[in-house]
Amino acid sequence: DFLHRISALKNLEILNMEENTLRTGGAKTLAAFIANGTFPKLKVLNVKDNMISSAGALEISKAVCKLRGFERLEMDFNYLSEWVIAEIEKIFADAKMPDSCLGELDFNDPEMDEDDVDDG
């Protein structure tokens, strides 16, 4: 799949996955790639509008906060509830990431943030 193909791009700095229907399973896979050092130079990740629910969003947030030099996560227009948005903000704060690292999280559909949305 696409994520496996791009895993060879060790110098990747910007990954724009906006509107790709990653869903939660794809978000978890992407987070695992990031956490395992697949994209050590990643600075910007855009996963807006991908039907990602809380489990995937939390994993992505934790993964990017471990990257040295990471600059921006865009994750709006997904299935995030208020509690998970607060948890994401806490993850970024605990990692001492600058406020500018986390994009807006104003436009989400919290009613879709359920386990049955998770595809893997």
Side-chain angles (χ1 to χ4, degrees), residues 4-36:
H4 285 90
R5 286 185 293 224
I6 66 168
S7 67
L9 303 173
K10 300 292 182 199
N11 293 319
L12 187 70
E13 293 184 5
I14 298 171
L15 181 55
N16 184 353
M17 298 290 292
E18 186 171 354
E19 292 186 58
N20 276 284
T21 318
L22 281 176
R23 297 187 178 271
T24 299
K28 288 178 179 181
T29 300
L30 177 58
F33 278 116
I34 294 168
N36 290 329

PDB file of all heavy atoms in Angstrom, residues 4-36:
ATOM      1  N   HIS A   4       3.588   1.904   2.757  1.00  0.00           N
ATOM      2  CA  HIS A   4       4.771   1.050   2.619  1.00  0.00           C
ATOM      3  C   HIS A   4       5.676   1.546   1.495  1.00  0.00           C
ATOM      4  O   HIS A   4       6.891   1.492   1.612  1.00  0.00           O
ATOM      5  CB  HIS A   4       4.358  -0.404   2.384  1.00  0.00           C
ATOM      6  CG  HIS A   4       3.855  -1.051   3.618  1.00  0.00           C
ATOM      7  ND1 HIS A   4       2.526  -1.017   3.971  1.00  0.00           N
ATOM      8  CD2 HIS A   4       4.500  -1.711   4.604  1.00  0.00           C
ATOM      9  CE1 HIS A   4       2.375  -1.657   5.119  1.00  0.00           C
ATOM     10  NE2 HIS A   4       3.546  -2.088   5.527  1.00  0.00           N
ATOM     11  N   ARG A   5       5.083   2.046   0.421  1.00  0.00           N
ATOM     12  CA  ARG A   5       5.888   2.548  -0.701  1.00  0.00           C
ATOM     13  C   ARG A   5       6.664   3.796  -0.327  1.00  0.00           C
ATOM     14  O   ARG A   5       7.796   3.965  -0.752  1.00  0.00           O
ATOM     15  CB  ARG A   5       5.020   2.806  -1.917  1.00  0.00           C
ATOM     16  CG  ARG A   5       4.590   1.516  -2.600  1.00  0.00           C
ATOM     17  CD  ARG A   5       3.839   1.820  -3.860  1.00  0.00           C
ATOM     18  NE  ARG A   5       2.591   2.460  -3.461  1.00  0.00           N
ATOM     19  CZ  ARG A   5       1.410   2.189  -3.969  1.00  0.00           C
ATOM     20  NH1 ARG A   5       1.295   1.341  -4.952  1.00  0.00           N
ATOM     21  NH2 ARG A   5       0.324   2.784  -3.531  1.00  0.00           N
ATOM     22  N   ILE A   6       6.054   4.696   0.447  1.00  0.00           N
ATOM     23  CA  ILE A   6       6.761   5.936   0.787  1.00  0.00           C
ATOM     24  C   ILE A   6       7.708   5.758   1.962  1.00  0.00           C
ATOM     25  O   ILE A   6       8.472   6.669   2.266  1.00  0.00           O
ATOM     26  CB  ILE A   6       5.787   7.106   1.052  1.00  0.00           C
ATOM     27  CG1 ILE A   6       4.933   6.862   2.294  1.00  0.00           C
ATOM     28  CG2 ILE A   6       4.953   7.414  -0.168  1.00  0.00           C
ATOM     29  CD1 ILE A   6       4.176   8.086   2.755  1.00  0.00           C
ATOM     30  N   SER A   7       7.693   4.616   2.593  1.00  0.00           N
ATOM     31  CA  SER A   7       8.563   4.410   3.759  1.00  0.00           C
ATOM     32  C   SER A   7      10.055   4.482   3.393  1.00  0.00           C
ATOM     33  O   SER A   7      10.887   4.667   4.265  1.00  0.00           O
ATOM     34  CB  SER A   7       8.238   3.088   4.444  1.00  0.00           C
ATOM     35  OG  SER A   7       8.574   1.997   3.628  1.00  0.00           O
ATOM     36  N   ALA A   8      10.374   4.374   2.128  1.00  0.00           N
ATOM     37  CA  ALA A   8      11.769   4.477   1.689  1.00  0.00           C
ATOM     38  C   ALA A   8      12.237   5.930   1.620  1.00  0.00           C
ATOM     39  O   ALA A   8      13.425   6.189   1.455  1.00  0.00           O
ATOM     40  CB  ALA A   8      11.941   3.817   0.327  1.00  0.00           C
ATOM     41  N   LEU A   9      11.339   6.865   1.781  1.00  0.00           N
ATOM     42  CA  LEU A   9      11.674   8.280   1.669  1.00  0.00           C
ATOM     43  C   LEU A   9      12.161   8.827   3.010  1.00  0.00           C
ATOM     44  O   LEU A   9      11.476   9.566   3.700  1.00  0.00           O
ATOM     45  CB  LEU A   9      10.456   9.078   1.179  1.00  0.00           C
ATOM     46  CG  LEU A   9       9.867   8.623  -0.155  1.00  0.00           C
ATOM     47  CD1 LEU A   9       8.586   9.363  -0.464  1.00  0.00           C
ATOM     48  CD2 LEU A   9      10.889   8.822  -1.272  1.00  0.00           C
ATOM     49  N   LYS A  10      13.362   8.478   3.373  1.00  0.00           N
ATOM     50  CA  LYS A  10      13.935   8.847   4.675  1.00  0.00           C
ATOM     51  C   LYS A  10      14.121  10.352   4.844  1.00  0.00           C
ATOM     52  O   LYS A  10      14.201  10.842   5.962  1.00  0.00           O
ATOM     53  CB  LYS A  10      15.271   8.143   4.894  1.00  0.00           C
ATOM     54  CG  LYS A  10      15.174   6.635   4.868  1.00  0.00           C
ATOM     55  CD  LYS A  10      14.405   6.118   6.049  1.00  0.00           C
ATOM     56  CE  LYS A  10      14.362   4.604   6.030  1.00  0.00           C
ATOM     57  NZ  LYS A  10      13.322   4.064   6.839  1.00  0.00           N
ATOM     58  N   ASN A  11      14.217  11.102   3.747  1.00  0.00           N
ATOM     59  CA  ASN A  11      14.427  12.546   3.824  1.00  0.00           C
ATOM     60  C   ASN A  11      13.130  13.344   3.722  1.00  0.00           C
ATOM     61  O   ASN A  11      13.169  14.562   3.612  1.00  0.00           O
ATOM     62  CB  ASN A  11      15.410  13.000   2.746  1.00  0.00           C
ATOM     63  CG  ASN A  11      16.798  12.456   3.007  1.00  0.00           C
ATOM     64  OD1 ASN A  11      17.254  12.425   4.145  1.00  0.00           O
ATOM     65  ND2 ASN A  11      17.468  12.002   1.962  1.00  0.00           N
ATOM     66  N   LEU A  12      12.006  12.659   3.771  1.00  0.00           N
ATOM     67  CA  LEU A  12      10.705  13.321   3.658  1.00  0.00           C
ATOM     68  C   LEU A  12      10.518  14.320   4.792  1.00  0.00           C
ATOM     69  O   LEU A  12      10.674  13.988   5.961  1.00  0.00           O
ATOM     70  CB  LEU A  12       9.590  12.270   3.702  1.00  0.00           C
ATOM     71  CG  LEU A  12       8.181  12.753   3.436  1.00  0.00           C
ATOM     72  CD1 LEU A  12       8.023  13.151   1.973  1.00  0.00           C
ATOM     73  CD2 LEU A  12       7.185  11.658   3.783  1.00  0.00           C
ATOM     74  N   GLU A  13      10.198  15.563   4.439  1.00  0.00           N
ATOM     75  CA  GLU A  13       9.972  16.609   5.436  1.00  0.00           C
ATOM     76  C   GLU A  13       8.508  17.015   5.538  1.00  0.00           C
ATOM     77  O   GLU A  13       8.059  17.422   6.604  1.00  0.00           O
ATOM     78  CB  GLU A  13      10.827  17.841   5.126  1.00  0.00           C
ATOM     79  CG  GLU A  13      12.311  17.584   5.295  1.00  0.00           C
ATOM     80  CD  GLU A  13      13.151  18.817   5.096  1.00  0.00           C
ATOM     81  OE1 GLU A  13      12.593  19.924   4.914  1.00  0.00           O
ATOM     82  OE2 GLU A  13      14.391  18.688   5.111  1.00  0.00           O
ATOM     83  N   ILE A  14       7.772  16.947   4.444  1.00  0.00           N
ATOM     84  CA  ILE A  14       6.368  17.339   4.423  1.00  0.00           C
ATOM     85  C   ILE A  14       5.557  16.196   3.833  1.00  0.00           C
ATOM     86  O   ILE A  14       5.852  15.728   2.728  1.00  0.00           O
ATOM     87  CB  ILE A  14       6.148  18.623   3.590  1.00  0.00           C
ATOM     88  CG1 ILE A  14       6.929  19.785   4.211  1.00  0.00           C
ATOM     89  CG2 ILE A  14       4.660  18.952   3.495  1.00  0.00           C
ATOM     90  CD1 ILE A  14       6.955  21.038   3.348  1.00  0.00           C
ATOM     91  N   LEU A  15       4.559  15.752   4.578  1.00  0.00           N
ATOM     92  CA  LEU A  15       3.672  14.697   4.095  1.00  0.00           C
ATOM     93  C   LEU A  15       2.244  15.222   4.153  1.00  0.00           C
ATOM     94  O   LEU A  15       1.701  15.466   5.222  1.00  0.00           O
ATOM     95  CB  LEU A  15       3.820  13.433   4.935  1.00  0.00           C
ATOM     96  CG  LEU A  15       2.954  12.229   4.531  1.00  0.00           C
ATOM     97  CD1 LEU A  15       3.168  11.861   3.063  1.00  0.00           C
ATOM     98  CD2 LEU A  15       3.252  11.048   5.436  1.00  0.00           C
ATOM     99  N   ASN A  16       1.657  15.426   2.974  1.00  0.00           N
ATOM    100  CA  ASN A  16       0.297  15.943   2.874  1.00  0.00           C
ATOM    101  C   ASN A  16      -0.628  14.801   2.474  1.00  0.00           C
ATOM    102  O   ASN A  16      -0.650  14.387   1.317  1.00  0.00           O
ATOM    103  CB  ASN A  16       0.228  17.070   1.844  1.00  0.00           C
ATOM    104  CG  ASN A  16      -1.143  17.701   1.778  1.00  0.00           C
ATOM    105  OD1 ASN A  16      -2.101  17.237   2.399  1.00  0.00           O
ATOM    106  ND2 ASN A  16      -1.256  18.780   1.025  1.00  0.00           N
ATOM    107  N   MET A  17      -1.369  14.304   3.448  1.00  0.00           N
ATOM    108  CA  MET A  17      -2.303  13.196   3.223  1.00  0.00           C
ATOM    109  C   MET A  17      -3.757  13.665   3.301  1.00  0.00           C
ATOM    110  O   MET A  17      -4.656  12.858   3.508  1.00  0.00           O
ATOM    111  CB  MET A  17      -2.059  12.098   4.256  1.00  0.00           C
ATOM    112  CG  MET A  17      -0.685  11.469   4.218  1.00  0.00           C
ATOM    113  SD  MET A  17      -0.430  10.460   2.757  1.00  0.00           S
ATOM    114  CE  MET A  17      -1.557   9.126   3.064  1.00  0.00           C
ATOM    115  N   GLU A  18      -3.980  14.958   3.137  1.00  0.00           N
ATOM    116  CA  GLU A  18      -5.329  15.513   3.257  1.00  0.00           C
ATOM    117  C   GLU A  18      -6.296  14.848   2.274  1.00  0.00           C
ATOM    118  O   GLU A  18      -5.958  14.625   1.119  1.00  0.00           O
ATOM    119  CB  GLU A  18      -5.301  17.024   3.011  1.00  0.00           C
ATOM    120  CG  GLU A  18      -6.645  17.690   3.252  1.00  0.00           C
ATOM    121  CD  GLU A  18      -6.565  19.198   3.224  1.00  0.00           C
ATOM    122  OE1 GLU A  18      -5.464  19.766   3.137  1.00  0.00           O
ATOM    123  OE2 GLU A  18      -7.630  19.829   3.291  1.00  0.00           O
ATOM    124  N   GLU A  19      -7.490  14.515   2.780  1.00  0.00           N
ATOM    125  CA  GLU A  19      -8.579  13.923   2.000  1.00  0.00           C
ATOM    126  C   GLU A  19      -8.173  12.617   1.307  1.00  0.00           C
ATOM    127  O   GLU A  19      -8.410  12.435   0.122  1.00  0.00           O
ATOM    128  CB  GLU A  19      -9.111  14.920   0.970  1.00  0.00           C
ATOM    129  CG  GLU A  19      -9.822  16.099   1.586  1.00  0.00           C
ATOM    130  CD  GLU A  19     -10.467  16.980   0.552  1.00  0.00           C
ATOM    131  OE1 GLU A  19     -11.311  16.474  -0.209  1.00  0.00           O
ATOM    132  OE2 GLU A  19     -10.127  18.175   0.515  1.00  0.00           O
ATOM    133  N   ASN A  20      -7.580  11.700   2.045  1.00  0.00           N
ATOM    134  CA  ASN A  20      -7.172  10.415   1.489  1.00  0.00           C
ATOM    135  C   ASN A  20      -7.888   9.229   2.112  1.00  0.00           C
ATOM    136  O   ASN A  20      -7.516   8.085   1.876  1.00  0.00           O
ATOM    137  CB  ASN A  20      -5.656  10.230   1.627  1.00  0.00           C
ATOM    138  CG  ASN A  20      -4.918  10.881   0.497  1.00  0.00           C
ATOM    139  OD1 ASN A  20      -4.894  10.360  -0.604  1.00  0.00           O
ATOM    140  ND2 ASN A  20      -4.333  12.043   0.755  1.00  0.00           N
ATOM    141  N   THR A  21      -8.889   9.484   2.928  1.00  0.00           N
ATOM    142  CA  THR A  21      -9.668   8.423   3.571  1.00  0.00           C
ATOM    143  C   THR A  21      -8.758   7.417   4.273  1.00  0.00           C
ATOM    144  O   THR A  21      -8.902   6.210   4.129  1.00  0.00           O
ATOM    145  CB  THR A  21     -10.589   7.718   2.557  1.00  0.00           C
ATOM    146  OG1 THR A  21     -11.189   8.703   1.711  1.00  0.00           O
ATOM    147  CG2 THR A  21     -11.703   6.970   3.250  1.00  0.00           C
ATOM    148  N   LEU A  22      -7.811   7.930   5.043  1.00  0.00           N
ATOM    149  CA  LEU A  22      -6.930   7.049   5.811  1.00  0.00           C
ATOM    150  C   LEU A  22      -7.702   6.202   6.809  1.00  0.00           C
ATOM    151  O   LEU A  22      -7.369   5.053   7.041  1.00  0.00           O
ATOM    152  CB  LEU A  22      -5.906   7.869   6.607  1.00  0.00           C
ATOM    153  CG  LEU A  22      -4.707   8.411   5.890  1.00  0.00           C
ATOM    154  CD1 LEU A  22      -3.879   9.262   6.836  1.00  0.00           C
ATOM    155  CD2 LEU A  22      -3.861   7.280   5.344  1.00  0.00           C
ATOM    156  N   ARG A  23      -8.704   6.776   7.410  1.00  0.00           N
ATOM    157  CA  ARG A  23      -9.455   6.167   8.509  1.00  0.00           C
ATOM    158  C   ARG A  23      -8.520   5.907   9.681  1.00  0.00           C
ATOM    159  O   ARG A  23      -7.325   6.183   9.630  1.00  0.00           O
ATOM    160  CB  ARG A  23     -10.180   4.909   8.072  1.00  0.00           C
ATOM    161  CG  ARG A  23     -11.229   5.149   7.000  1.00  0.00           C
ATOM    162  CD  ARG A  23     -12.013   3.881   6.733  1.00  0.00           C
ATOM    163  NE  ARG A  23     -13.038   4.115   5.753  1.00  0.00           N
ATOM    164  CZ  ARG A  23     -14.275   4.526   6.044  1.00  0.00           C
ATOM    165  NH1 ARG A  23     -14.626   4.741   7.278  1.00  0.00           N
ATOM    166  NH2 ARG A  23     -15.152   4.707   5.083  1.00  0.00           N
ATOM    167  N   THR A  24      -9.050   5.374  10.720  1.00  0.00           N
ATOM    168  CA  THR A  24      -8.269   5.164  11.928  1.00  0.00           C
ATOM    169  C   THR A  24      -7.176   4.116  11.727  1.00  0.00           C
ATOM    170  O   THR A  24      -6.055   4.272  12.214  1.00  0.00           O
ATOM    171  CB  THR A  24      -9.196   4.804  13.102  1.00  0.00           C
ATOM    172  OG1 THR A  24     -10.088   5.906  13.298  1.00  0.00           O
ATOM    173  CG2 THR A  24      -8.423   4.542  14.368  1.00  0.00           C
ATOM    174  N   GLY A  25      -7.470   3.063  11.002  1.00  0.00           N
ATOM    175  CA  GLY A  25      -6.458   2.032  10.756  1.00  0.00           C
ATOM    176  C   GLY A  25      -5.251   2.578  10.014  1.00  0.00           C
ATOM    177  O   GLY A  25      -4.109   2.279  10.357  1.00  0.00           O
ATOM    178  N   GLY A  26      -5.490   3.378   8.996  1.00  0.00           N
ATOM    179  CA  GLY A  26      -4.391   3.993   8.255  1.00  0.00           C
ATOM    180  C   GLY A  26      -3.619   4.981   9.102  1.00  0.00           C
ATOM    181  O   GLY A  26      -2.394   5.087   9.003  1.00  0.00           O
ATOM    182  N   ALA A  27      -4.340   5.705   9.965  1.00  0.00           N
ATOM    183  CA  ALA A  27      -3.680   6.648  10.868  1.00  0.00           C
ATOM    184  C   ALA A  27      -2.771   5.916  11.847  1.00  0.00           C
ATOM    185  O   ALA A  27      -1.650   6.352  12.131  1.00  0.00           O
ATOM    186  CB  ALA A  27      -4.718   7.476  11.619  1.00  0.00           C
ATOM    187  N   LYS A  28      -3.238   4.774  12.349  1.00  0.00           N
ATOM    188  CA  LYS A  28      -2.412   3.976  13.260  1.00  0.00           C
ATOM    189  C   LYS A  28      -1.168   3.445  12.542  1.00  0.00           C
ATOM    190  O   LYS A  28      -0.075   3.428  13.113  1.00  0.00           O
ATOM    191  CB  LYS A  28      -3.221   2.815  13.832  1.00  0.00           C
ATOM    192  CG  LYS A  28      -4.265   3.234  14.833  1.00  0.00           C
ATOM    193  CD  LYS A  28      -5.033   2.007  15.304  1.00  0.00           C
ATOM    194  CE  LYS A  28      -6.078   2.330  16.326  1.00  0.00           C
ATOM    195  NZ  LYS A  28      -6.793   1.116  16.771  1.00  0.00           N
ATOM    196  N   THR A  29      -1.331   3.019  11.298  1.00  0.00           N
ATOM    197  CA  THR A  29      -0.188   2.539  10.520  1.00  0.00           C
ATOM    198  C   THR A  29       0.811   3.661  10.294  1.00  0.00           C
ATOM    199  O   THR A  29       2.018   3.481  10.484  1.00  0.00           O
ATOM    200  CB  THR A  29      -0.656   1.949   9.172  1.00  0.00           C
ATOM    201  OG1 THR A  29      -1.550   0.866   9.428  1.00  0.00           O
ATOM    202  CG2 THR A  29       0.522   1.469   8.335  1.00  0.00           C
ATOM    203  N   LEU A  30       0.312   4.827   9.911  1.00  0.00           N
ATOM    204  CA  LEU A  30       1.179   5.985   9.704  1.00  0.00           C
ATOM    205  C   LEU A  30       1.902   6.348  10.998  1.00  0.00           C
ATOM    206  O   LEU A  30       3.110   6.602  10.994  1.00  0.00           O
ATOM    207  CB  LEU A  30       0.361   7.174   9.192  1.00  0.00           C
ATOM    208  CG  LEU A  30       1.107   8.482   8.993  1.00  0.00           C
ATOM    209  CD1 LEU A  30       2.272   8.313   8.017  1.00  0.00           C
ATOM    210  CD2 LEU A  30       0.142   9.560   8.504  1.00  0.00           C
ATOM    211  N   ALA A  31       1.183   6.351  12.112  1.00  0.00           N
ATOM    212  CA  ALA A  31       1.800   6.656  13.414  1.00  0.00           C
ATOM    213  C   ALA A  31       2.905   5.657  13.740  1.00  0.00           C
ATOM    214  O   ALA A  31       3.956   6.034  14.259  1.00  0.00           O
ATOM    215  CB  ALA A  31       0.733   6.659  14.507  1.00  0.00           C
ATOM    216  N   ALA A  32       2.679   4.391  13.419  1.00  0.00           N
ATOM    217  CA  ALA A  32       3.697   3.364  13.676  1.00  0.00           C
ATOM    218  C   ALA A  32       4.948   3.619  12.835  1.00  0.00           C
ATOM    219  O   ALA A  32       6.075   3.479  13.332  1.00  0.00           O
ATOM    220  CB  ALA A  32       3.133   1.974  13.394  1.00  0.00           C
ATOM    221  N   PHE A  33       4.767   3.986  11.576  1.00  0.00           N
ATOM    222  CA  PHE A  33       5.911   4.314  10.727  1.00  0.00           C
ATOM    223  C   PHE A  33       6.698   5.474  11.326  1.00  0.00           C
ATOM    224  O   PHE A  33       7.923   5.436  11.401  1.00  0.00           O
ATOM    225  CB  PHE A  33       5.470   4.689   9.307  1.00  0.00           C
ATOM    226  CG  PHE A  33       5.206   3.524   8.404  1.00  0.00           C
ATOM    227  CD1 PHE A  33       3.932   3.296   7.915  1.00  0.00           C
ATOM    228  CD2 PHE A  33       6.219   2.675   8.022  1.00  0.00           C
ATOM    229  CE1 PHE A  33       3.678   2.227   7.071  1.00  0.00           C
ATOM    230  CE2 PHE A  33       5.984   1.601   7.176  1.00  0.00           C
ATOM    231  CZ  PHE A  33       4.701   1.380   6.698  1.00  0.00           C
ATOM    232  N   ILE A  34       5.987   6.516  11.753  1.00  0.00           N
ATOM    233  CA  ILE A  34       6.646   7.687  12.333  1.00  0.00           C
ATOM    234  C   ILE A  34       7.363   7.300  13.630  1.00  0.00           C
ATOM    235  O   ILE A  34       8.525   7.648  13.834  1.00  0.00           O
ATOM    236  CB  ILE A  34       5.624   8.814  12.577  1.00  0.00           C
ATOM    237  CG1 ILE A  34       5.082   9.331  11.231  1.00  0.00           C
ATOM    238  CG2 ILE A  34       6.251   9.957  13.369  1.00  0.00           C
ATOM    239  CD1 ILE A  34       3.863  10.230  11.356  1.00  0.00           C
ATOM    240  N   ALA A  35       6.681   6.574  14.491  1.00  0.00           N
ATOM    241  CA  ALA A  35       7.255   6.180  15.783  1.00  0.00           C
ATOM    242  C   ALA A  35       8.478   5.285  15.616  1.00  0.00           C
ATOM    243  O   ALA A  35       9.399   5.327  16.442  1.00  0.00           O
ATOM    244  CB  ALA A  35       6.197   5.482  16.628  1.00  0.00           C
ATOM    245  N   ASN A  36       8.508   4.501  14.558  1.00  0.00           N
ATOM    246  CA  ASN A  36       9.632   3.592  14.314  1.00  0.00           C
ATOM    247  C   ASN A  36      10.790   4.252  13.571  1.00  0.00           C
ATOM    248  O   ASN A  36      11.734   3.576  13.180  1.00  0.00           O
ATOM    249  CB  ASN A  36       9.157   2.362  13.538  1.00  0.00           C
ATOM    250  CG  ASN A  36       8.289   1.468  14.390  1.00  0.00           C
ATOM    251  OD1 ASN A  36       8.457   1.395  15.601  1.00  0.00           O
ATOM    252  ND2 ASN A  36       7.341   0.795  13.758  1.00  0.00           N
TER     253      ASN A  36
END
